[in-house]
Amino acid sequence: MAIEPVVYGASERPPRGDYARAGADYTCPQDYARYTEQDHDTYRRLYARQSALLPGLASEAFIAALPSLGAEDRIPRFEDINARLKPATGWEIVGVPGLIPEVPFFTLLANRKFPVTDWIRTPEEFDYIVEPDIFHDLFGHVPLLFNPVFADYVQRYGQGGLKAERLGACEMLSRLYWYTIEFGLIREAGGLRAYGAGILSSSGELPYSVQSSAPQRRPLQLERTMRTRYKIDSFQETYFVIDSFQDLFDMTAADFAPVYERLRGLPEIAANASGD
């Protein structure tokens, strides 16, 4: 079976990454020798800039787990992270050449394997990149996989994704991923904080999402979230807020099949829509 690149959202440029290296499950070994000193320096500078922004903006659970990534001055080796991650929560990270199709993606998550793109952006893309790279995936996603409750939620999402695919409901479920795992906010003792990887790996959206008066911030409600469209090429106009990772996990315990059926008869909600 030929392994083809995947495009999500609107992009005139096909995904980069060597998909010929991928197996049938879209995973591939991390080709560590391929990274140049410039690649390592890009990672070092991204890590330094982003970690300096975290206090007062990022979830305390994320800040506490970040050192588990290991190396700050070079791209980490996946096997080194897995040596700490697997004993902590049973998860492991696996290399992929870039974006992968929904079913292989859900299957990996359902088996507690998180796909991490193994290439890094160019220096010219330091401030913005169209598709996820190794910095976004490692820095943004992996630290919270050391949190047992959040790690269980991500696995549950993968299991739910396989069911959603059979029910023709992937678009609705993808919005839950977007507004939680990628762009979620949480209320902590110190105030509003970010836990979504798309926020945590962005120098601009991290302060914007927490401090700006421009976006809406709404309590996370499953049906409202799964009806709400989202932006892929600008800061979000709506963020959904949880009170704890346990609440998020408990909220997603129900069978979504009846939810999907109800939502099929309702209109989508614009990303900037106010009201219910």
Side-chain angles (χ1 to χ4, degrees):
M1 180 182 67
I3 301 299
E4 299 292 339
V6 177
V7 178
Y8 293 127
S11 176
E12 296 179 356
R13 180 180 57 76
R16 72 191 80 179
D18 182 6
Y19 285 77
R21 297 172 52 227
D25 63 354
Y26 279 83
T27 66
C28 61
Q30 183 187 26
D31 186 2
Y32 198 82
R34 182 168 50 91
Y35 300 129
T36 66
E37 285 305 312
Q38 182 181 79
D39 291 336
H40 289 299
D41 184 63
T42 297
Y43 183 89
R44 177 192 63 77
R45 292 189 298 121
L46 285 165
Y47 191 107
R49 179 179 71 173
Q50 210 60 26
S51 59
L53 294 173
L54 298 178
L57 297 175
S59 163
E60 289 300 323
F62 178 87
I63 292 173
L66 183 60
S68 297
L69 282 184
E72 301 177 16
D73 59 342
R74 302 182 69 74
I75 297 170
R77 294 180 183 271
F78 291 176
E79 61 262 31
D80 292 342
I81 295 175
N82 285 336
R84 296 182 289 272
L85 181 57
K86 190 137 182 125
T89 59
W91 274 81
E92 61 182 309
I93 59 174
V94 293
V96 290
L99 293 168
I100 66 175
E102 289 170 332
V103 171
F105 178 70
F106 295 147
T107 301
L108 289 172
L109 297 188
N111 288 282
R112 296 179 91 87
K113 295 181 179 181
F114 195 88
V116 173
T117 301
D118 69 346
W119 52 262
I120 194 163
R121 69 193 71 182
T122 66
E124 293 73 28
E125 297 168 305
F126 190 80
D127 290 320
Y128 176 74
I129 186 168
V130 175
E131 59 192 290
D133 70 341
I134 193 172
F135 178 76
H136 166 83
D137 285 343
L138 282 184
F139 188 96
H141 284 288
V142 174
L144 282 180
L145 293 177
F146 283 87
N147 179 283
V149 179
F150 190 79
D152 286 348
Y153 168 69
V154 178
Q155 180 183 32
R156 175 174 283 173
Y157 181 88
Q159 294 166 337
L162 293 173
K163 295 177 184 177
E165 194 277 333
R166 295 193 294 269
L167 295 170
C170 285
E171 176 64 25
M172 287 182 272
L173 190 65
S174 73
R175 294 169 182 163
L176 182 63
Y177 187 95
W178 187 265
Y179 283 119
T180 60
I181 295 171
E182 287 288 358
F183 289 93
L185 298 178
I186 185 170
R187 292 201 182 279
E188 297 183 335
L192 193 66
R193 299 290 185 265
Y195 71 91
I199 302 174
L200 292 164
S201 60
S202 167
S203 63
E205 192 148 6
L206 180 54
Y208 171 85
S209 66
V210 175
Q211 297 176 330
S212 174
S213 60
Q216 299 182 75
R217 300 178 184 87
R218 307 174 61 91
L220 182 71
Q221 297 173 322
L222 283 180
E223 295 194 14
R224 176 63 161 79
T225 303
M226 287 195 282
R227 290 175 61 197
T228 303
R229 302 179 67 180
Y230 54 79
K231 298 278 192 175
I232 66 168
D233 55 359
S234 64
F235 293 167
Q236 301 306 299
E237 295 176 288
T238 298
Y239 296 96
F240 291 92
V241 184
I242 61 173
D243 291 323
S244 71
F245 294 142
Q246 188 63 53
D247 283 351
L248 178 61
F249 182 75
D250 293 343
M251 190 184 305
T252 55
D255 179 9
F256 281 11
V259 176
Y260 298 145
E261 286 307 307
R262 285 196 297 274
L263 296 187
R264 290 186 208 281
L266 298 174
E268 295 180 331
I269 298 174
N272 63 350
S274 59
D276 297 327

